[in-house]
Amino acid sequence: MLNTETPSTRHPDLDTYATPALLDAFIDDQLAAVAAVKAAAPQLAAAVDAALPRIRAGGRLLYAGAGTSGRLGVLDSVELYPTFSWPRERAVAVIAGGQGAMFVAVEGAEDDRAQGAADLNALKPGRNDVALLLAASGGTPYVLGAIEAARAAGTLTIGFANNPGAPVTELADIGIVLDTGAEVISGSTRLKAGTSQKIALNTFSSALMVRLNKVYGNLMVDLKATNAKLVKRALALTVRASGATEADAQAALSQCDHHVKTALVMLKRGVSAEAARTLLEAAHGSVSRAFNA
């Protein structure tokens, strides 16, 4: 029996627990998610390093999963745009059952291997693309169809699963096993198995964005200021990173569509928005190198 399907021996009387003990059981068990990702850190590092040259060459991140795993893939792909100004068309997710499955479970969709291949092929995967294949069990037919299509296209495949020796990690170019073991509620991989996948995806994509010069120091200077909160954040980041007054930072931001990286180079180098963009382009988006170019 798969680890994720094996009944937990720690809480056989879970339904009799008082509320405080019940909550402690769920919360304490989540610590295993962090430990599982930590144990997989070497494989995650290998995945970042393998993906980087392909993404630099214009490739995309392609996510495929079913159920909770599929929804986590969608979440990671969607959040890259506001956080790092990553083009939406370069982070695309497919989920068993289609877009509607984000909100309503589509029973049986995960069993359709052919549809997984068809959905991935519809994205026209290429050799510079990176496919992230997500399945808690590691054997979901929809995901196996997707990984087969990605491999046939020469796409780099990174498989995530919560069971050792799972097909999705064995078939992938790089397999990432997040061995979270039995769940508090037997088989409910929306619990710590899902948490571990969320952490692993955050870790992978965030590290990749840092390597792509989307961060200066530890500041998210390539955010897309799409709402009032993010406009305020852009101003605060510009002041912090440049040492400029709030008025000068605001003036620079107003000339470059509130793009923090551009404003920083404008302020540090005393140049126009257009010149700052040119410097950043020559520095491959690195604020540090643009400062010293």
Side-chain angles (χ1 to χ4, degrees), residues 73-102:
V74 173
L75 181 63
D76 199 69
S77 71
V78 167
E79 290 180 341
L80 294 179
Y81 174 74
T83 308
F84 301 109
S85 294
W86 189 249
R88 291 188 179 98
E89 66 275 12
R90 293 185 65 192
V92 186
V94 294
I95 181 172
Q99 291 186 359
M102 276 296 296

PDB file of all heavy atoms in Angstrom, residues 73-102:
ATOM      1  N   GLY A  73      -0.604  23.630  -8.681  1.00  0.00           N
ATOM      2  CA  GLY A  73       0.135  24.030  -9.880  1.00  0.00           C
ATOM      3  C   GLY A  73      -0.435  25.298 -10.480  1.00  0.00           C
ATOM      4  O   GLY A  73       0.304  26.211 -10.870  1.00  0.00           O
ATOM      5  N   VAL A  74      -1.756  25.382 -10.564  1.00  0.00           N
ATOM      6  CA  VAL A  74      -2.406  26.587 -11.071  1.00  0.00           C
ATOM      7  C   VAL A  74      -2.037  27.785 -10.190  1.00  0.00           C
ATOM      8  O   VAL A  74      -1.682  28.858 -10.682  1.00  0.00           O
ATOM      9  CB  VAL A  74      -3.933  26.415 -11.128  1.00  0.00           C
ATOM     10  CG1 VAL A  74      -4.606  27.739 -11.490  1.00  0.00           C
ATOM     11  CG2 VAL A  74      -4.313  25.338 -12.139  1.00  0.00           C
ATOM     12  N   LEU A  75      -2.101  27.600  -8.886  1.00  0.00           N
ATOM     13  CA  LEU A  75      -1.798  28.683  -7.947  1.00  0.00           C
ATOM     14  C   LEU A  75      -0.382  29.202  -8.148  1.00  0.00           C
ATOM     15  O   LEU A  75      -0.152  30.419  -8.219  1.00  0.00           O
ATOM     16  CB  LEU A  75      -1.981  28.180  -6.515  1.00  0.00           C
ATOM     17  CG  LEU A  75      -1.727  29.177  -5.392  1.00  0.00           C
ATOM     18  CD1 LEU A  75      -2.715  30.327  -5.455  1.00  0.00           C
ATOM     19  CD2 LEU A  75      -1.819  28.483  -4.036  1.00  0.00           C
ATOM     20  N   ASP A  76       0.580  28.291  -8.244  1.00  0.00           N
ATOM     21  CA  ASP A  76       1.968  28.723  -8.422  1.00  0.00           C
ATOM     22  C   ASP A  76       2.140  29.485  -9.730  1.00  0.00           C
ATOM     23  O   ASP A  76       2.818  30.522  -9.778  1.00  0.00           O
ATOM     24  CB  ASP A  76       2.900  27.514  -8.389  1.00  0.00           C
ATOM     25  CG  ASP A  76       4.336  27.918  -8.104  1.00  0.00           C
ATOM     26  OD1 ASP A  76       4.610  28.349  -6.972  1.00  0.00           O
ATOM     27  OD2 ASP A  76       5.183  27.810  -9.015  1.00  0.00           O
ATOM     28  N   SER A  77       1.522  29.003 -10.787  1.00  0.00           N
ATOM     29  CA  SER A  77       1.665  29.658 -12.089  1.00  0.00           C
ATOM     30  C   SER A  77       1.047  31.049 -12.085  1.00  0.00           C
ATOM     31  O   SER A  77       1.625  32.003 -12.622  1.00  0.00           O
ATOM     32  CB  SER A  77       1.025  28.807 -13.188  1.00  0.00           C
ATOM     33  OG  SER A  77      -0.388  28.801 -13.096  1.00  0.00           O
ATOM     34  N   VAL A  78      -0.106  31.195 -11.458  1.00  0.00           N
ATOM     35  CA  VAL A  78      -0.822  32.471 -11.455  1.00  0.00           C
ATOM     36  C   VAL A  78      -0.071  33.528 -10.648  1.00  0.00           C
ATOM     37  O   VAL A  78      -0.045  34.709 -11.016  1.00  0.00           O
ATOM     38  CB  VAL A  78      -2.253  32.270 -10.901  1.00  0.00           C
ATOM     39  CG1 VAL A  78      -2.916  33.607 -10.593  1.00  0.00           C
ATOM     40  CG2 VAL A  78      -3.095  31.489 -11.892  1.00  0.00           C
ATOM     41  N   GLU A  79       0.552  33.121  -9.551  1.00  0.00           N
ATOM     42  CA  GLU A  79       1.176  34.095  -8.651  1.00  0.00           C
ATOM     43  C   GLU A  79       2.489  34.660  -9.183  1.00  0.00           C
ATOM     44  O   GLU A  79       2.987  35.670  -8.665  1.00  0.00           O
ATOM     45  CB  GLU A  79       1.406  33.450  -7.284  1.00  0.00           C
ATOM     46  CG  GLU A  79       0.113  33.194  -6.516  1.00  0.00           C
ATOM     47  CD  GLU A  79       0.343  32.556  -5.167  1.00  0.00           C
ATOM     48  OE1 GLU A  79       1.432  31.977  -4.953  1.00  0.00           O
ATOM     49  OE2 GLU A  79      -0.574  32.624  -4.330  1.00  0.00           O
ATOM     50  N   LEU A  80       3.068  34.051 -10.199  1.00  0.00           N
ATOM     51  CA  LEU A  80       4.344  34.541 -10.707  1.00  0.00           C
ATOM     52  C   LEU A  80       4.217  35.904 -11.390  1.00  0.00           C
ATOM     53  O   LEU A  80       5.170  36.688 -11.390  1.00  0.00           O
ATOM     54  CB  LEU A  80       4.952  33.525 -11.680  1.00  0.00           C
ATOM     55  CG  LEU A  80       5.367  32.191 -11.056  1.00  0.00           C
ATOM     56  CD1 LEU A  80       5.929  31.266 -12.122  1.00  0.00           C
ATOM     57  CD2 LEU A  80       6.382  32.409  -9.942  1.00  0.00           C
ATOM     58  N   TYR A  81       3.054  36.201 -11.956  1.00  0.00           N
ATOM     59  CA  TYR A  81       2.888  37.490 -12.644  1.00  0.00           C
ATOM     60  C   TYR A  81       2.894  38.678 -11.680  1.00  0.00           C
ATOM     61  O   TYR A  81       3.711  39.588 -11.828  1.00  0.00           O
ATOM     62  CB  TYR A  81       1.614  37.478 -13.494  1.00  0.00           C
ATOM     63  CG  TYR A  81       1.296  38.818 -14.126  1.00  0.00           C
ATOM     64  CD1 TYR A  81       2.039  39.285 -15.205  1.00  0.00           C
ATOM     65  CD2 TYR A  81       0.274  39.628 -13.629  1.00  0.00           C
ATOM     66  CE1 TYR A  81       1.767  40.515 -15.776  1.00  0.00           C
ATOM     67  CE2 TYR A  81      -0.011  40.852 -14.200  1.00  0.00           C
ATOM     68  CZ  TYR A  81       0.744  41.305 -15.271  1.00  0.00           C
ATOM     69  OH  TYR A  81       0.482  42.519 -15.835  1.00  0.00           O
ATOM     70  N   PRO A  82       2.041  38.715 -10.655  1.00  0.00           N
ATOM     71  CA  PRO A  82       2.070  39.882  -9.773  1.00  0.00           C
ATOM     72  C   PRO A  82       3.335  39.972  -8.927  1.00  0.00           C
ATOM     73  O   PRO A  82       3.788  41.069  -8.593  1.00  0.00           O
ATOM     74  CB  PRO A  82       0.824  39.699  -8.895  1.00  0.00           C
ATOM     75  CG  PRO A  82       0.534  38.246  -8.944  1.00  0.00           C
ATOM     76  CD  PRO A  82       0.946  37.794 -10.310  1.00  0.00           C
ATOM     77  N   THR A  83       3.926  38.836  -8.581  1.00  0.00           N
ATOM     78  CA  THR A  83       5.098  38.844  -7.708  1.00  0.00           C
ATOM     79  C   THR A  83       6.377  39.199  -8.448  1.00  0.00           C
ATOM     80  O   THR A  83       7.222  39.936  -7.929  1.00  0.00           O
ATOM     81  CB  THR A  83       5.273  37.476  -7.026  1.00  0.00           C
ATOM     82  OG1 THR A  83       4.047  37.104  -6.390  1.00  0.00           O
ATOM     83  CG2 THR A  83       6.370  37.528  -5.970  1.00  0.00           C
ATOM     84  N   PHE A  84       6.522  38.686  -9.661  1.00  0.00           N
ATOM     85  CA  PHE A  84       7.781  38.851 -10.390  1.00  0.00           C
ATOM     86  C   PHE A  84       7.617  39.430 -11.794  1.00  0.00           C
ATOM     87  O   PHE A  84       8.573  39.438 -12.573  1.00  0.00           O
ATOM     88  CB  PHE A  84       8.491  37.497 -10.504  1.00  0.00           C
ATOM     89  CG  PHE A  84       8.807  36.852  -9.181  1.00  0.00           C
ATOM     90  CD1 PHE A  84       8.123  35.719  -8.753  1.00  0.00           C
ATOM     91  CD2 PHE A  84       9.793  37.376  -8.356  1.00  0.00           C
ATOM     92  CE1 PHE A  84       8.419  35.116  -7.544  1.00  0.00           C
ATOM     93  CE2 PHE A  84      10.094  36.780  -7.136  1.00  0.00           C
ATOM     94  CZ  PHE A  84       9.399  35.649  -6.727  1.00  0.00           C
ATOM     95  N   SER A  85       6.433  39.882 -12.147  1.00  0.00           N
ATOM     96  CA  SER A  85       6.156  40.355 -13.512  1.00  0.00           C
ATOM     97  C   SER A  85       6.476  39.283 -14.547  1.00  0.00           C
ATOM     98  O   SER A  85       6.836  39.599 -15.682  1.00  0.00           O
ATOM     99  CB  SER A  85       6.946  41.637 -13.825  1.00  0.00           C
ATOM    100  OG  SER A  85       6.522  42.712 -13.023  1.00  0.00           O
ATOM    101  N   TRP A  86       6.341  38.020 -14.158  1.00  0.00           N
ATOM    102  CA  TRP A  86       6.610  36.934 -15.094  1.00  0.00           C
ATOM    103  C   TRP A  86       5.455  36.855 -16.086  1.00  0.00           C
ATOM    104  O   TRP A  86       4.295  36.806 -15.678  1.00  0.00           O
ATOM    105  CB  TRP A  86       6.778  35.616 -14.363  1.00  0.00           C
ATOM    106  CG  TRP A  86       7.264  34.508 -15.236  1.00  0.00           C
ATOM    107  CD1 TRP A  86       6.583  33.397 -15.639  1.00  0.00           C
ATOM    108  CD2 TRP A  86       8.563  34.411 -15.826  1.00  0.00           C
ATOM    109  NE1 TRP A  86       7.370  32.618 -16.448  1.00  0.00           N
ATOM    110  CE2 TRP A  86       8.584  33.216 -16.591  1.00  0.00           C
ATOM    111  CE3 TRP A  86       9.701  35.219 -15.803  1.00  0.00           C
ATOM    112  CZ2 TRP A  86       9.710  32.817 -17.311  1.00  0.00           C
ATOM    113  CZ3 TRP A  86      10.816  34.817 -16.519  1.00  0.00           C
ATOM    114  CH2 TRP A  86      10.810  33.620 -17.262  1.00  0.00           C
ATOM    115  N   PRO A  87       5.730  36.856 -17.397  1.00  0.00           N
ATOM    116  CA  PRO A  87       4.635  36.851 -18.381  1.00  0.00           C
ATOM    117  C   PRO A  87       3.677  35.678 -18.182  1.00  0.00           C
ATOM    118  O   PRO A  87       4.104  34.533 -18.000  1.00  0.00           O
ATOM    119  CB  PRO A  87       5.384  36.728 -19.722  1.00  0.00           C
ATOM    120  CG  PRO A  87       6.752  37.267 -19.447  1.00  0.00           C
ATOM    121  CD  PRO A  87       7.062  36.864 -18.034  1.00  0.00           C
ATOM    122  N   ARG A  88       2.397  35.983 -18.206  1.00  0.00           N
ATOM    123  CA  ARG A  88       1.396  34.940 -17.980  1.00  0.00           C
ATOM    124  C   ARG A  88       1.524  33.794 -18.978  1.00  0.00           C
ATOM    125  O   ARG A  88       1.296  32.635 -18.637  1.00  0.00           O
ATOM    126  CB  ARG A  88      -0.008  35.546 -18.073  1.00  0.00           C
ATOM    127  CG  ARG A  88      -0.351  36.498 -16.929  1.00  0.00           C
ATOM    128  CD  ARG A  88      -1.818  36.895 -17.003  1.00  0.00           C
ATOM    129  NE  ARG A  88      -2.205  37.788 -15.915  1.00  0.00           N
ATOM    130  CZ  ARG A  88      -2.293  39.105 -16.014  1.00  0.00           C
ATOM    131  NH1 ARG A  88      -2.018  39.707 -17.164  1.00  0.00           N
ATOM    132  NH2 ARG A  88      -2.668  39.835 -14.980  1.00  0.00           N
ATOM    133  N   GLU A  89       1.884  34.139 -20.226  1.00  0.00           N
ATOM    134  CA  GLU A  89       1.973  33.104 -21.247  1.00  0.00           C
ATOM    135  C   GLU A  89       3.189  32.194 -21.053  1.00  0.00           C
ATOM    136  O   GLU A  89       3.340  31.186 -21.744  1.00  0.00           O
ATOM    137  CB  GLU A  89       2.008  33.726 -22.638  1.00  0.00           C
ATOM    138  CG  GLU A  89       3.236  34.567 -22.959  1.00  0.00           C
ATOM    139  CD  GLU A  89       3.126  36.021 -22.495  1.00  0.00           C
ATOM    140  OE1 GLU A  89       2.198  36.341 -21.719  1.00  0.00           O
ATOM    141  OE2 GLU A  89       3.979  36.836 -22.929  1.00  0.00           O
ATOM    142  N   ARG A  90       4.051  32.530 -20.090  1.00  0.00           N
ATOM    143  CA  ARG A  90       5.230  31.706 -19.851  1.00  0.00           C
ATOM    144  C   ARG A  90       5.127  30.902 -18.543  1.00  0.00           C
ATOM    145  O   ARG A  90       6.108  30.330 -18.090  1.00  0.00           O
ATOM    146  CB  ARG A  90       6.500  32.563 -19.860  1.00  0.00           C
ATOM    147  CG  ARG A  90       6.796  33.152 -21.236  1.00  0.00           C
ATOM    148  CD  ARG A  90       8.114  33.888 -21.267  1.00  0.00           C
ATOM    149  NE  ARG A  90       9.237  32.992 -21.046  1.00  0.00           N
ATOM    150  CZ  ARG A  90      10.482  33.406 -20.792  1.00  0.00           C
ATOM    151  NH1 ARG A  90      10.734  34.715 -20.711  1.00  0.00           N
ATOM    152  NH2 ARG A  90      11.452  32.536 -20.601  1.00  0.00           N
ATOM    153  N   ALA A  91       3.946  30.878 -17.960  1.00  0.00           N
ATOM    154  CA  ALA A  91       3.659  30.013 -16.813  1.00  0.00           C
ATOM    155  C   ALA A  91       2.218  29.538 -16.996  1.00  0.00           C
ATOM    156  O   ALA A  91       1.271  30.252 -16.676  1.00  0.00           O
ATOM    157  CB  ALA A  91       3.832  30.756 -15.500  1.00  0.00           C
ATOM    158  N   VAL A  92       2.066  28.341 -17.531  1.00  0.00           N
ATOM    159  CA  VAL A  92       0.749  27.851 -17.936  1.00  0.00           C
ATOM    160  C   VAL A  92       0.465  26.525 -17.231  1.00  0.00           C
ATOM    161  O   VAL A  92       1.331  25.646 -17.167  1.00  0.00           O
ATOM    162  CB  VAL A  92       0.696  27.646 -19.466  1.00  0.00           C
ATOM    163  CG1 VAL A  92      -0.715  27.269 -19.896  1.00  0.00           C
ATOM    164  CG2 VAL A  92       1.168  28.895 -20.197  1.00  0.00           C
ATOM    165  N   ALA A  93      -0.740  26.412 -16.703  1.00  0.00           N
ATOM    166  CA  ALA A  93      -1.100  25.192 -15.970  1.00  0.00           C
ATOM    167  C   ALA A  93      -2.312  24.513 -16.594  1.00  0.00           C
ATOM    168  O   ALA A  93      -3.244  25.183 -17.045  1.00  0.00           O
ATOM    169  CB  ALA A  93      -1.393  25.525 -14.507  1.00  0.00           C
ATOM    170  N   VAL A  94      -2.277  23.192 -16.611  1.00  0.00           N
ATOM    171  CA  VAL A  94      -3.452  22.403 -16.988  1.00  0.00           C
ATOM    172  C   VAL A  94      -3.814  21.523 -15.800  1.00  0.00           C
ATOM    173  O   VAL A  94      -2.949  21.094 -15.027  1.00  0.00           O
ATOM    174  CB  VAL A  94      -3.205  21.544 -18.244  1.00  0.00           C
ATOM    175  CG1 VAL A  94      -2.992  22.431 -19.459  1.00  0.00           C
ATOM    176  CG2 VAL A  94      -2.019  20.597 -18.064  1.00  0.00           C
ATOM    177  N   ILE A  95      -5.099  21.270 -15.646  1.00  0.00           N
ATOM    178  CA  ILE A  95      -5.603  20.477 -14.532  1.00  0.00           C
ATOM    179  C   ILE A  95      -6.640  19.491 -15.050  1.00  0.00           C
ATOM    180  O   ILE A  95      -7.423  19.819 -15.955  1.00  0.00           O
ATOM    181  CB  ILE A  95      -6.198  21.400 -13.439  1.00  0.00           C
ATOM    182  CG1 ILE A  95      -6.720  20.586 -12.256  1.00  0.00           C
ATOM    183  CG2 ILE A  95      -7.284  22.306 -13.989  1.00  0.00           C
ATOM    184  CD1 ILE A  95      -7.139  21.447 -11.060  1.00  0.00           C
ATOM    185  N   ALA A  96      -6.611  18.301 -14.520  1.00  0.00           N
ATOM    186  CA  ALA A  96      -7.587  17.276 -14.929  1.00  0.00           C
ATOM    187  C   ALA A  96      -9.001  17.792 -14.710  1.00  0.00           C
ATOM    188  O   ALA A  96      -9.331  18.270 -13.633  1.00  0.00           O
ATOM    189  CB  ALA A  96      -7.363  16.000 -14.128  1.00  0.00           C
ATOM    190  N   GLY A  97      -9.809  17.719 -15.751  1.00  0.00           N
ATOM    191  CA  GLY A  97     -11.177  18.212 -15.665  1.00  0.00           C
ATOM    192  C   GLY A  97     -11.339  19.612 -16.200  1.00  0.00           C
ATOM    193  O   GLY A  97     -12.465  20.131 -16.252  1.00  0.00           O
ATOM    194  N   GLY A  98     -10.219  20.257 -16.598  1.00  0.00           N
ATOM    195  CA  GLY A  98     -10.300  21.597 -17.174  1.00  0.00           C
ATOM    196  C   GLY A  98     -10.371  22.692 -16.120  1.00  0.00           C
ATOM    197  O   GLY A  98     -10.330  22.436 -14.918  1.00  0.00           O
ATOM    198  N   GLN A  99     -10.493  23.931 -16.574  1.00  0.00           N
ATOM    199  CA  GLN A  99     -10.461  25.083 -15.675  1.00  0.00           C
ATOM    200  C   GLN A  99     -11.535  25.015 -14.597  1.00  0.00           C
ATOM    201  O   GLN A  99     -11.315  25.445 -13.459  1.00  0.00           O
ATOM    202  CB  GLN A  99     -10.610  26.377 -16.478  1.00  0.00           C
ATOM    203  CG  GLN A  99      -9.411  26.698 -17.340  1.00  0.00           C
ATOM    204  CD  GLN A  99      -9.530  28.063 -18.014  1.00  0.00           C
ATOM    205  OE1 GLN A  99     -10.514  28.763 -17.857  1.00  0.00           O
ATOM    206  NE2 GLN A  99      -8.510  28.423 -18.770  1.00  0.00           N
ATOM    207  N   GLY A 100     -12.683  24.467 -14.920  1.00  0.00           N
ATOM    208  CA  GLY A 100     -13.757  24.370 -13.938  1.00  0.00           C
ATOM    209  C   GLY A 100     -13.394  23.521 -12.740  1.00  0.00           C
ATOM    210  O   GLY A 100     -13.966  23.693 -11.647  1.00  0.00           O
ATOM    211  N   ALA A 101     -12.411  22.611 -12.907  1.00  0.00           N
ATOM    212  CA  ALA A 101     -12.016  21.736 -11.810  1.00  0.00           C
ATOM    213  C   ALA A 101     -11.280  22.489 -10.706  1.00  0.00           C
ATOM    214  O   ALA A 101     -11.063  21.946  -9.621  1.00  0.00           O
ATOM    215  CB  ALA A 101     -11.134  20.603 -12.337  1.00  0.00           C
ATOM    216  N   MET A 102     -10.914  23.747 -10.970  1.00  0.00           N
ATOM    217  CA  MET A 102     -10.337  24.571  -9.907  1.00  0.00           C
ATOM    218  C   MET A 102     -11.362  24.801  -8.801  1.00  0.00           C
ATOM    219  O   MET A 102     -11.012  24.962  -7.629  1.00  0.00           O
ATOM    220  CB  MET A 102      -9.884  25.921 -10.465  1.00  0.00           C
ATOM    221  CG  MET A 102      -8.513  25.927 -11.087  1.00  0.00           C
ATOM    222  SD  MET A 102      -7.178  25.572  -9.911  1.00  0.00           S
ATOM    223  CE  MET A 102      -7.270  26.973  -8.795  1.00  0.00           C
TER     224      MET A 102
END
